[in-house]
Amino acid sequence: MSEEQTKAVEEAAKNPKNLGEMEGADAIGTVGRSDCGDMLRMWVKFKEENGRKVIDRATFQTFGCQTAIAVASIATEMILGKTAGEALAMSGEQLSSPLGPLPPMKIHCAQLVEDALKSALDPAAAIPAANATPVGPTLVDQITPASKVKINLLKKP
Ligand code: FES
């Protein structure tokens, strides 16, 4: 990672945007990586705009490295105003593009964000607003054995 990129990652991770749970989210996705043990949850809220259902807000929580935090922060801004289909079409590389090309050992960090987004926006995995998980529990609360949250451990690429 270049010095400039390291600085950009550190800065984004130090002051992450859209960090935290979201009340009344339309969709929630949680994923984890078996190789590094990091986890990321994303909440998404939609709105109607010019006859299109677009992303109004997105937030995240993570047990992740600085790069995952930085990419999630950027991604939750980047997907605003996009339809679910448009956001689903974005790769980890696109979601992390403001940071510049990530070194090979950090590509999976952006992949974690992409996968959390996919988990949230995949209709089969989405939680309808009426049945959305209560706001109270944090990501920590949700990984207790009694939790009903589905955690997808991703295989090594
Ligand atoms: Fe696992 Fe970054 S080291 S997400």
Side-chain angles (χ1 to χ4, degrees), residues 36 38 65 68 106 108-109 112:
C36 68
D38 289 342
C65 67
K106 287 293 174 185
H108 80 274
C109 313
L112 186 71

Side-chain angles (χ1 to χ4, degrees), residues 12 66-76 92 95-96 99 102 109-110 113:
Q66 276 195 327
T67 305
I69 296 168
V71 175
S73 172
I74 290 166
T76 50
L95 294 168
S96 63
L99 297 170
L102 296 174
C109 313
V113 177

